[in-house]
């Protein structure tokens, strides 16, 4: 009977520990998301330090990628970190980069236990951080909220494993599957609440990409225009094979305030590239594609080499369709408005049916939201 009671007490203690681990890891994940769009090429990590059930330190990766989340949390915890538990959304680094290894800082601070959501696939880490902690006598547990962490760190994982950014396709479509009025005329598909949500999405991405057709037709700004968040605007990327972008447009005009990268063919005129460079625009040259347009895998590889981990694709039905056709879309934000556009409107995916996304076995629903009469469905790779 005594042994049964002890077993029950032990099982209850394990359940309580698992519940606490999940609760504190969810907080760490929410902290890490604060850095999305600002830490590239580093991942946006969150960390929480808990001692005797009380949070004594919090941290997240700072703009530019440094300091990392762990030393930020340790700095705030001070002596409170000794004997405490560290919750971190990604394995602490174990190598010298532009800053010392986080694993060494954790050891020096006297942390007793580390709970990591997921291992870092970076070959310079890849389990070595956890191994170094264990060798120092620290208890290491891996796995709480692993699926959520994998979703949040998808950009980092994709860049490490596939040498390209995680691609997020944003579409706003009418009930009849249109994104624009007849003749390509811009039209409001969704309301103000959705527009605010889109600007938040922009702020969480490293870069936003459109085609030259959208730039010539709309002269967009492609920044984050929520009050106080202008500095969170992503890098603007334009696919412009022949460098047709106008120096008088809003994008080039603001290139020195918010970075503008124009991706062109290797065959584009050097003089045009020089003029854009003088205006503060960065011209990236890639090989031409086999058909019309640029080689999209080469475009993504070039962006990843420059540190981009999360890329938002927002412009034009042709660009959207080209990414879907090339199987280069990892996440889809599909906003749906309430009013039909009617015959002659611009189809969301050019010649492709919208069912290529909504009914494809390649994607599954990750989440959904409602904004009055408008809705959002987020799809991810199955």
């Amino acid at each position: 009977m005594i042994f049964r009671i002890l077993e029950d007490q032990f099982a209850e203690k394990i359940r309580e520990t698992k519940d606490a681990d999940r609760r504190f890891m969810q907080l760490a994940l929410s902290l890490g998301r604060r850095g999305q769009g600002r830490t590239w090429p580093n991942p946006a990590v969150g960390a929480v330090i808990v001692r005797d059930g009380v949070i004594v330190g919090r941290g997240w990766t700072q703009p530019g990628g440094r300091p990392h989340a762990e030393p930020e949390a340790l700095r705030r915890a001070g002596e409170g970190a000794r004997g405490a538990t560290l919750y971190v959304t990604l394995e602490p680094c174990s190598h010298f980069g532009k800053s010392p290894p986080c694993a060494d800082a954790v050891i020096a601070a006297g942390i007793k236990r580390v709970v990591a959501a997921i291992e870092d696939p970076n070959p310079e880490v890849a389990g070595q951080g956890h191994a170094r902690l264990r060798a120092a006598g620290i208890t290491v547990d891996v796995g709480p909220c692993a699926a959520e962490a994998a979703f949040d760190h998808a950009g980092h994982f994709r860049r490490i494993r596939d040498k390209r950014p995680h691609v997020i396709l944003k579409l706003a479509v009418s009930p009849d599957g249109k994104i624009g009025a007849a003749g390509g005329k811009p039209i409001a598909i969704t309301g103000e609440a959705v527009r605010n949500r889109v600007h938040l999405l922009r702020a969480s991405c490293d870069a936003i990409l459109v085609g030259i057709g959208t730039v010539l037709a709309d002269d967009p700004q492609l920044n984050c225009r929520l009050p106080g968040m202008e500095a969170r605007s992503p890098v603007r990327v334009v696919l412009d094979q022949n460098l047709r972008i106008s120096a008088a447009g809003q994008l080039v005009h603001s290139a020195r305030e918010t970075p503008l990268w124009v991706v062109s063919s290797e065959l584009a005129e050097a003089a045009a590239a020089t003029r854009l460079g003088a205006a503060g625009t960065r011209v990236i040259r890639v090989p031409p594609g086999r058909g019309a347009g640029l080689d999209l895998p080469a475009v993504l590889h070039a962006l990843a080499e420059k540190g981009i981990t999360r890329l938002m694709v927002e412009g034009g039905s042709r660009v959207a369709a080209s990414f879907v056709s090339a199987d280069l879309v990892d996440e889809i934000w599909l906003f749906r408005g309430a009013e039909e556009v009617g015959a002659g409107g611009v189809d969301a995916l050019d010649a492709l049916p919208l069912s290529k996304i909504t009914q494809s076995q390649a994607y599954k629903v990750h989440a959904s939201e409602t904004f009055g009469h408008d809705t959002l469905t987020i799809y991810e790779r199955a």
Side-chain angles (χ1 to χ4, degrees), residues 13-376:
K13 183 66 174 178
I14 291 177
R15 282 193 294 271
E16 290 177 356
T17 300
K18 288 184 176 179
D19 289 343
D21 286 351
R22 183 167 183 82
R23 186 170 67 254
F24 289 125
M25 188 61 75
Q26 287 175 335
L27 173 58
L29 287 165
S30 68
L31 292 172
R33 293 182 194 114
R34 295 184 179 187
Q36 285 184 342
R38 306 186 77 191
T39 67
W40 59 277
N42 288 354
V45 178
V48 176
I49 298 174
V50 179
R51 182 173 177 177
D52 298 328
V54 178
I55 295 172
V56 295
R58 304 184 304 161
W60 54 93
T61 311
Q62 295 300 293
R66 294 174 187 81
H68 291 183
E70 299 94 324
E72 271 291 293
L74 291 170
R75 179 183 63 81
R76 298 183 184 201
E79 281 301 311
R82 193 160 300 277
T85 295
L86 166 67
Y87 294 88
V88 61
T89 63
L90 188 68
E91 175 183 7
C93 64
S94 55
H95 63 292
F96 280 89
K98 293 184 178 180
S99 55
C102 289
D104 289 356
V106 172
I107 294 168
I111 289 290
K112 182 179 181 181
R113 177 177 178 240
V114 171
V115 182
I118 198 165
E119 185 177 289
D120 189 343
N122 185 345
E124 294 183 301
V125 186
Q128 297 173 71
H130 292 154
R132 183 175 295 193
L133 295 172
R134 291 188 176 107
I138 296 174
T139 299
V140 178
D141 294 313
V142 183
C145 303
E148 295 96 319
F151 186 82
D152 286 357
H153 294 307
H156 173 63
F157 288 12
R158 186 70 66 184
R159 181 170 177 265
I160 293 294
R161 292 170 175 167
D162 297 337
K163 311 302 180 188
R164 69 169 178 83
H166 177 79
V167 175
I168 303 170
L169 173 63
K170 172 259 173 182
L171 292 170
V173 304
S174 63
D176 52 348
K178 310 296 183 182
I179 63 170
K185 181 181 178 181
I187 185 174
I189 300 292
T190 53
E192 183 178 359
V194 166
R195 287 191 289 276
N196 291 341
R197 190 70 178 88
V198 170
H199 283 282
L200 282 175
L201 175 60
R202 288 181 178 182
S204 72
C205 291
D206 307 338
I208 178 172
L209 180 148
V210 298
I212 184 60
T214 294
V215 174
L216 295 177
D218 301 343
D219 190 24
Q221 299 180 59
L222 301 180
N223 55 2
C224 178
R225 295 191 293 278
L226 293 176
M229 295 189 67
E230 294 82 0
R232 296 290 300 264
S233 296
V235 172
R236 288 91 52 86
V237 179
V238 179
L239 300 183
D240 185 7
Q241 183 170 1
N242 299 311
L243 293 180
R244 294 187 293 150
I245 190 169
S246 171
Q250 293 193 93
L251 290 177
V252 176
H253 185 70
S254 61
R256 297 192 187 280
E257 288 74 45
T258 303
L260 172 64
W261 298 355
V262 177
V263 186
S264 73
S265 166
E266 294 173 336
L267 306 177
E269 290 184 3
T274 300
R275 286 194 296 271
L276 289 171
T281 298
R282 185 173 193 172
V283 176
I284 302 171
R285 294 181 178 273
V286 300
R290 292 182 179 180
L294 297 167
D295 183 329
L296 291 184
V299 170
L300 295 183
H301 181 68
L303 295 179
E305 283 190 326
K306 289 168 176 55
I308 300 300
T309 67
R310 286 169 56 87
L311 175 66
M312 178 181 176
V313 174
E314 188 173 345
S317 62
R318 291 183 181 179
V319 168
S322 66
F323 272 87
V324 172
S325 296
D327 193 27
L328 292 173
V329 176
D330 305 301
E331 189 178 330
I332 301 152
W333 286 49
L334 181 62
F335 294 94
R336 289 185 180 273
E339 296 186 13
E340 294 189 355
V341 171
V346 179
D347 291 325
L349 294 177
D350 197 27
L352 294 178
L354 195 56
S355 60
K356 186 75 175 178
I357 293 171
T358 59
Q359 298 179 25
S360 171
Q361 294 184 349
Y363 299 102
K364 63 181 179 181
V365 175
H366 173 77
S368 60
E369 298 178 34
T370 301
F371 307 86
H373 296 296
D374 302 328
T375 63
L376 164 65

